Amino acid sequence: MKKEQVVNCQFSAWYPIFKKHTIKSLILPLPQNVIDYLLDDGTLVVSGSDQNTQPRRTDNSDSEDQEDVQWSDDETTTTVTAPEFPEFTSKVLEAINSLGGRVFPKLNWSAPRDANWIALNSSLQCCSLADIFLLFKSSDFITHDLTQPFLQCSDQDSPDPVIKYELVLRKWSELIPGGEFRCFVKENKLIAISQRDYTQYYPHILTQEEQVSQAIQVFFSQNVQYNFLDEDFVFDVYRDSQGKVWLIDLNPFGEVTDSLLFTWDELTSGGEVAQHQQEGPTFRFTTSEVTVQPSPCLSYRIPRDFVDLSAGEDAYKLIDFLKLRKTQQEDSEEEEEEGNAPP
Ligand SMILES: Nc1ncnc2c1ncn2[C@@H]1O[C@H](COP(=O)(O)OP(=O)(O)OP(=O)(O)O)[C@@H](O)[C@H]1O
Ligand SMILES: [Mg+2]
């Protein structure tokens, strides 16, 4: 996979070509100060200026109000205030409103799929810039886009192309995971199709195998083939309940893209899958409950208890947790007094 292929798969590169066949979206250039904020580990505070609902920390170092919570005993700690981006905030709000009030956010390539657990609704649905910032700042996928978009490219010696970072806002659409498929195109031929959410068994795919494969092949030959900037690429589609196929995303043909029920070796070697067959692409999907696997993004999560504690959803847990700490402390003090503490 070459750097050029990654460049071609940026949202703003493919969206104008396939606009008619995909979900309505708006692209906003990401100002440098917003990029800096997203990359700054120290500032977890999310600006709530579009809602004015977020609590702010203020500098109380020379204030007499000693009742304020002391967040850190490090006296050199500087004030942490939510950065404000008034102009960008109003552009984003305007864009969200024109898309119906609820959006699915992305950067040039990635959505923060690994961070959905942190949102109160456990979803990527956003209604404000604060919602978007919370997801973006919690996502390794977003950091990857910002810091190492060409990580797995084979032409590492060539200079990195200049990237203009963009915030992509897509109209929120309730997609049923069983209708999503990933399609692999090599030399402008559709060689393979995989169920996208391969961790689940969807009986309708098994019963409609032929219709699904046919619908995707027709969509490809009528709307996608020879229209993209590259001859090798991966595109994601959604087949809705009426059988209509929609384009969801374009991805580079290479290891950065999850090959789902195939291996990259199968897709690139001269083997059966990689050779376009007369009878059409190889279609793989999960055929029974037995093969159901845990969701791939689970490993990005932290224990639910921690989320509840931090989100303050379950105050009793926090109280129990503090009591437990106190009991443990008392126990260890007792042990020390008895002189039988382990070394
Ligand atoms: N507009 C939308 N509204 C609601 N959900 C969406 C929308 N667009 C995409 N999704 C859901 O989010 C998932 C991920 O979207 P998308 O493919 O754009 O992210 P990605 O970061 O490019 O993923 P990948 O890393 O697998 O390429 C989709 O499979 C779909 O289930
Ligand atoms: Mg993608």
Side-chain angles (χ1 to χ4, degrees), residues 49-338:
S49 60
D50 46 353
Q51 292 176 323
N52 283 324
T53 51
Q54 301 287 328
R56 299 272 162 79
R57 280 179 56 188
T58 49
D59 188 355
N60 59 6
S61 57
D62 33 51
S63 124
E64 311 227 324
D65 186 359
Q66 293 301 315
E67 277 172 27
D68 270 352
V69 179
Q70 204 63 50
W71 291 93
S72 165
D73 49 13
D74 177 359
E75 293 193 343
T76 61
T77 306
T78 47
T79 315
V80 182
T81 46
E84 305 279 347
F85 312 102
E87 211 180 309
F88 184 62
T89 305
S90 63
K91 280 188 189 144
V92 170
L93 266 189
E94 203 181 306
I96 294 176
N97 287 337
S98 75
L99 291 168
R102 297 177 305 151
V103 296
F104 175 88
K106 289 190 82 163
L107 277 193
N108 302 43
W109 300 275
S110 304
R113 287 185 300 119
D114 55 331
N116 67 339
W117 55 268
I118 205 162
L120 275 182
N121 53 1
S122 288
S123 139
L124 298 187
Q125 184 179 300
C126 293
C127 301
S128 69
L129 186 58
D131 293 348
I132 297 171
F133 278 163
L134 179 64
L135 289 169
F136 278 15
K137 282 187 77 71
S138 318
S139 166
D140 289 348
F141 296 174
I142 292 296
T143 309
H144 169 96
D145 272 20
L146 290 173
T147 57
Q148 336 178 272
F150 304 110
L151 185 64
Q152 299 187 56
C153 294
S154 53
D155 50 345
Q156 282 303 328
D157 294 341
S158 68
D160 279 358
V162 176
I163 295 300
K164 289 201 182 90
Y165 280 100
E166 59 208 27
L167 171 65
V168 175
L169 301 175
R170 316 203 67 185
K171 190 179 169 60
W172 182 263
S173 321
E174 293 295 340
L175 305 181
I176 301 157
E180 293 190 77
F181 301 90
R182 175 157 282 183
C183 311
F184 300 85
V185 179
K186 200 179 168 199
E187 293 165 5
N188 262 317
K189 295 194 181 73
L190 179 57
I191 57 167
I193 303 171
S194 170
Q195 175 182 333
R196 182 98 190 258
D197 180 21
Y198 62 90
T199 61
Q200 299 300 314
Y201 164 55
Y202 296 102
H204 76 270
I205 303 181
L206 186 60
T207 53
Q208 299 177 26
E209 175 179 0
E210 200 43 45
Q211 287 105 300
V212 173
S213 177
Q214 271 303 324
I216 293 174
Q217 288 178 62
V218 168
F219 178 80
F220 171 70
S221 62
Q222 288 184 348
N223 307 314
V224 183
Q225 196 173 26
Y226 308 118
N227 287 341
F228 188 50
L229 306 159
D230 216 302
E231 56 171 21
D232 296 343
F233 55 95
V234 178
F235 68 100
D236 298 322
V237 293
Y238 179 65
R239 186 170 171 267
D240 69 20
S241 49
Q242 276 95 53
K244 186 174 161 55
V245 178
W246 297 86
L247 184 64
I248 300 297
D249 194 23
L250 266 124
N251 310 281
F253 188 89
E255 300 273 343
V256 271
T257 301
D258 192 340
S259 53
L260 306 178
L261 291 170
F262 293 89
T263 64
W264 273 110
D265 213 30
E266 279 178 301
L267 296 163
T268 50
S269 74
E272 209 185 317
V273 174
Q275 276 171 359
H276 177 68
Q277 292 141 44
Q278 283 307 318
E279 63 273 24
T282 310
F283 183 18
R284 286 194 190 153
F285 49 91
T286 301
T287 50
S288 71
E289 301 280 6
V290 185
T291 47
V292 169
Q293 297 161 40
S295 168
C297 273
L298 275 181
S299 59
Y300 291 98
R301 299 182 183 205
I302 55 171
R304 184 73 227 178
D305 284 2
F306 280 50
V307 182
D308 288 350
L309 286 176
S310 62
E313 276 186 352
D314 186 341
Y316 291 104
K317 278 208 184 107
L318 182 60
I319 294 164
D320 287 347
F321 178 67
L322 293 173
K323 275 188 189 154
L324 182 72
R325 295 281 301 167
K326 194 163 175 280
T327 323
Q328 280 173 344
Q329 215 170 352
E330 283 166 358
D331 283 349
S332 67
E333 277 166 13
E334 259 173 43
E335 272 167 11
E336 257 170 43
E337 271 167 28
E338 285 164 26

